Amino acid sequence: MMSIVDLTPGTLVEGLQRRLKKSLGQNFLLDENITRSIAREADNLRPFHILEIGPGAGALTLALIKLGRPMTVIEKDDHCARYIAQVFGDIPNFQVIHGDALETDLPDFCSHAEDRPILVSNLPYNVASQIYFRFIDADLPLVGMVLMFQREVANRFLAMPGTKHYSALSAISQYYHEIEHVMDVPPEAFKPAPKVTSTVLRFIPRKRELSKPEEDNFRKLVHAAFALRRKTLINSLAGFNGFDKLAWSECLTRLGYEPSVRAESLGFRDFIRIMIGAVPKV
Ligand code: SAM
């Protein structure tokens, strides 16, 4: 077996010797400058124990292992999970979980703030947002996350009110995290090359100001508000929380919003005000 100093993303991908599975979003990184930059970005958050989802052939794993921290990976694909265990199995404090990141029990260290856990992943694009929400809902003391998405999805995480990509995903994720653009990654950096550009984002957790039931209500309100994107909030929310249009109109006016306001111009703090402002009457 090769020592890790001799490994590169290219040799790792070549060593896998399997057709890559589109159904599992298998686009593997080949560019070591990019894997190193992602690892550096993760390192800046001063993590201790690293969790990577979807190591694939191990390109990003290799760069993360070089940070010299305990590391755990979760891989769904049988062949990749075996390959990663074979290539990196002798590294101290390295563990492979063969499972689905949407279902498998998350490792214990993720729940311990003193382990300074971090999630790093070039996410499988077909379940990327679902994995993000799994980690939000698990309410873990992560120091942060460094995640790669298709650029179009990343744009929605980053979008500010009043801009083209602003959506329910933007308002909800911005309540949970401060989100920053790290870098765009061109299709040529992967094998096989995807059709679109990818984007790496950094997520820093914000203090959660709402109780769990309030968070659930906030998310329902945001989804209802964006369900009819072009309509005024009063029309989108009619019937929500037992309020008819008149009740919503009164509620919005009482809170200082124009009755013609639309979801796309409201930030997550506005949605929280509206949710809290609407509670006493329901
Ligand atoms: N980390 C590697 C890289 O950057 O080259 C591979 C990233 S590839 C975009 C996504 C990886 O996630 C694949 O290895 C795929 O098998 C794995 N995967 C897909 N769905 C998964 C799931 N639900 N749970 C865990 N791993 C999954």
Side-chain angles (χ1 to χ4, degrees):
M1 200 202 302
M2 275 177 140
S3 118
I4 72 157
V5 248
D6 301 322
L7 292 172
T8 64
T11 56
L12 283 164
V13 174
E14 217 172 280
L16 193 65
Q17 291 182 335
R18 279 287 161 112
R19 271 181 75 95
L20 304 188
K21 294 188 191 125
K22 217 173 163 192
S23 61
L24 288 176
Q26 293 187 344
N27 298 96
F28 293 162
L29 279 165
L30 283 179
D31 186 331
E32 197 157 21
N33 289 322
I34 290 168
T35 55
R36 277 206 210 108
S37 302
I38 297 173
R40 199 175 318 120
E41 202 56 46
D43 199 35
N44 287 342
L45 297 176
R46 303 172 40 75
F48 182 60
H49 204 136
I50 299 172
L51 176 64
E52 185 195 359
I53 288 179
L60 181 55
T61 316
L62 175 67
L64 292 167
I65 282 176
K66 288 181 178 169
L67 297 176
R69 313 263 203 285
M71 183 164 170
T72 301
V73 299
I74 303 178
E75 174 59 59
K76 184 172 175 182
D77 183 76
D78 306 352
H79 185 69
C80 290
R82 257 199 315 274
Y83 181 69
I84 292 290
Q86 187 195 323
V87 176
F88 298 115
D90 289 341
I91 307 271
N93 298 316
F94 181 84
Q95 198 204 346
V96 182
I97 299 176
H98 179 199
D100 183 334
L102 290 172
E103 289 170 6
T104 194
D105 285 346
L106 295 174
D108 231 29
F109 73 86
C110 287
S111 311
H112 295 123
E114 64 276 18
D115 279 324
R116 299 190 57 77
I118 189 170
L119 172 64
V120 186
S121 180
N122 169 13
L123 287 166
Y125 74 98
N126 45 340
V127 285
S129 307
Q130 281 162 270
I131 291 177
Y132 171 77
F133 278 104
R134 178 170 191 202
F135 278 81
I136 277 191
D137 291 336
D139 194 7
L140 304 166
L142 302 183
V143 292
M145 307 193 280
V146 179
L147 304 176
M148 174 149 26
F149 297 89
Q150 290 187 301
R151 182 163 64 183
E152 178 215 328
V153 178
N155 282 343
R156 291 201 281 130
F157 276 106
L158 291 168
M160 286 295 145
T163 62
K164 185 165 123 205
H165 300 290
Y166 192 63
S167 63
L169 179 68
S170 329
I172 293 172
S173 60
Q174 289 167 22
Y175 160 75
Y176 291 100
H177 289 110
E178 240 175 80
I179 307 171
E180 280 175 40
H181 178 272
V182 175
M183 65 179 150
D184 287 338
V185 183
E188 313 81 77
F190 301 87
K191 184 182 173 175
K195 290 201 174 67
V196 296
T197 298
S198 302
T199 298
V200 180
L201 301 178
R202 175 179 51 225
F203 295 78
I204 310 288
R206 287 189 204 267
K207 187 171 162 3
R208 299 187 180 190
E209 290 158 20
L210 302 175
S211 65
K212 195 80 184 62
E214 284 172 333
E215 283 182 355
D216 290 345
N217 214 17
F218 158 73
R219 279 160 64 165
K220 283 189 198 139
L221 175 84
V222 173
H223 281 297
F226 278 95
L228 301 168
R229 195 183 157 82
R230 297 277 155 232
K231 295 211 172 187
T232 62
L233 204 57
I234 291 173
N235 277 311
S236 307
L237 293 183
F240 183 79
N241 251 10
F243 276 30
D244 61 11
K245 284 188 195 176
L246 185 64
W248 276 116
S249 174
E250 281 169 5
C251 172
L252 291 175
T253 310
R254 176 163 44 85
L255 295 172
Y257 296 98
E258 291 291 332
S260 59
V261 71
R262 288 168 204 273
E264 59 202 18
S265 65
L266 299 174
F268 74 88
R269 290 195 179 83
D270 295 300
F271 286 111
I272 291 175
R273 273 192 73 210
I274 293 168
M275 179 201 69
I276 290 172
V279 162
K281 289 184 132 193
V282 289

